[in-house]
Amino acid sequence: MDLGALLREIVQELEAERGCGEVARYIPPLARVDPRQFGMALVECDGTCHVAGDAMTRFSIQSISKVFSLTLAMQHVRDDLWLRVGREPSGTRFNSLVQLEHERGIPRNPFINAGALVVTDMILECLADAKQTLLDLVRQLSGAMDAAFAEDVAQEEAATGHINRAMAWFMKGLGNLKGDPDAVLDAYFHHCSLSLSCLELARAGLYLARRGNALDGTCVLSPRATQRINAMMLTCGAYDAVGDFAYRVGLPAKSGVGGGILAVLPGHYSVCVWSPGLDAAGNSMLGIRALERLTERTGLSVF
Ligand code: GLU
């Protein structure tokens, strides 16, 4: 099947729906993004790339960065990773304080904000510079050596991210954050602020489709650890709409409030879609529609 033609067909078919959904407003720079943008990039396991629409425009990857911080944690953190964060879908909003209190400061999974804060704390403990290490990893995997944190996005989120701050300090109070909460928040906000295009992000995520091996042959993770990240993406990667996402798309994926979704079909490809308008659960509305068409037309999903 000509996947490039399929991508272009999907973007063309959804042309009239550009701008649907609501852009995230609680982080000021995200509220200023043009909601009509829509791009799609797919990279096959042999490295062949296909793009359509605004696939080369960089956007704020936000929560998709949680995949890369979890990857660093699985590379470097030994025993206590899964003692300090769970592996179950949250079933609540990604920044729920109620659930965190109820579960005594152990976040449900690494892809909700509290979970990513704990993961960030753990990688800060074992890496000399967790911000730079994550940036280096993404640069190496995507081939985008000029990829960078959007300092303005990180600063504005730091200035407005009161709920994240509350969660970090709350977990510090309950003993599940070991380091300085402000340092953890600073690294977390920077990771979220990373700007990448659909093509760069699809390239960066390709190791998840290649049993942990990057295109240049580097072993990023073992095949087993890679299966586990994909399992987390399938069960926890689309906020509290994971069931609906699995039903409609059927791929492990991680979405972000910037409107990006990174998804993989192990053994076949990684794909990234981006359109800033979100649905009520916080997933890109057009992005899900595009991925739904992709797995429907190819007839392939993890199921
Ligand atoms: N930086 C955002 C936050 O912490 C990420 C949210 C997301 O993309 O899910 O609220």
Side-chain angles (χ1 to χ4, degrees), residues 26-27 30 61-64 66 94-95 111 113 157 164 167 188-189 192-193 239 254-258 282:
Y26 73 99
I27 303 174
L30 300 186
I61 75 167
Q62 291 297 318
S63 263
I64 302 171
K66 293 175 169 84
F94 65 99
N95 58 5
F111 292 155
N113 286 7
E157 191 172 354
N164 285 325
M167 288 193 293
Y188 170 78
F189 290 143
C192 289
S193 79
Y239 305 114
K254 181 72 197 90
S255 70
V257 291

Side-chain angles (χ1 to χ4, degrees), residues 13-297:
E13 284 170 6
L14 294 170
E15 192 61 34
E17 295 178 46
R18 280 184 186 248
C20 66
E22 289 286 321
V23 298
R25 304 213 171 273
Y26 73 99
I27 303 174
L30 300 186
R32 299 193 285 268
V33 169
D34 174 3
R36 293 188 44 78
Q37 298 175 97
F38 175 33
M40 201 167 182
L42 183 150
V43 183
E44 297 183 60
C45 278
D46 66 0
T48 309
C49 300
H50 308 281
V51 291
D54 302 314
M56 307 301 196
T57 308
R58 285 187 172 165
F59 62 92
S60 191
I61 75 167
Q62 291 297 318
S63 263
I64 302 171
S65 64
K66 293 175 169 84
V67 172
F68 303 109
S69 34
L70 180 61
T71 296
L72 288 180
M74 291 184 81
Q75 285 176 337
H76 298 281
V77 177
R78 289 287 158 240
D79 307 327
D80 62 349
L81 173 59
W82 299 114
L83 298 176
R84 293 173 58 189
V85 62
R87 298 194 290 257
E88 294 296 338
S90 71
T92 57
R93 277 198 71 75
F94 65 99
N95 58 5
S96 170
L97 272 160
V98 174
Q99 185 172 68
L100 195 58
E101 172 159 31
H102 190 245
E103 296 179 357
R104 305 299 302 154
I106 312 287
R108 273 284 173 98
N109 69 65
F111 292 155
I112 53 174
N113 286 7
L117 288 166
V118 171
V119 167
T120 306
D121 182 50
M122 288 190 264
I123 59 178
L124 280 168
E125 276 178 77
C126 48
L127 296 171
D129 186 342
K131 276 196 269 187
Q132 189 61 40
T133 307
L134 186 131
L135 186 57
D136 289 344
L137 174 71
V138 171
R139 282 179 173 169
Q140 179 216 334
L141 294 173
S142 65
M145 298 316 283
D146 65 340
F149 298 128
E151 206 53 52
D152 60 323
V153 176
Q155 296 313 333
E156 289 205 52
E157 191 172 354
T160 55
H162 310 301
I163 297 175
N164 285 325
R165 189 163 293 109
M167 288 193 293
W169 283 94
F170 184 66
M171 289 190 291
K172 179 76 180 174
L174 290 175
N176 198 22
L177 220 70
K178 312 286 182 202
D180 171 11
D182 285 328
V184 173
L185 287 159
D186 177 61
Y188 170 78
F189 290 143
H190 275 84
H191 292 167
C192 289
S193 79
L194 193 56
S195 265
L196 291 172
S197 69
C198 288
L199 180 59
E200 290 163 346
L201 204 40
R203 278 199 179 120
L206 192 62
Y207 68 102
L208 297 169
R210 288 172 40 97
R211 297 173 62 78
N213 291 316
L215 205 50
D216 66 4
T218 314
C219 174
V220 182
L221 287 175
S222 69
R224 191 76 182 121
T226 308
Q227 285 173 331
R228 288 175 163 165
I229 292 204
N230 287 338
M232 299 304 310
M233 289 169 75
L234 186 74
T235 53
C236 309
Y239 305 114
D240 50 337
V242 276
D244 185 59
F245 189 91
Y247 180 89
R248 292 170 62 188
V249 177
L251 297 178
K254 181 72 197 90
S255 70
V257 291
I261 305 177
L262 171 66
V264 292
L265 181 59
H268 293 260
Y269 61 73
S270 69
V271 61
C272 178
V273 282
W274 167 60
S275 185
L278 309 178
D279 62 17
N283 296 304
S284 171
M285 197 177 257
L286 209 46
I288 294 187
R289 288 181 191 163
L291 290 174
E292 200 172 10
R293 286 175 193 231
L294 175 69
T295 52
E296 195 175 296
R297 306 269 167 91

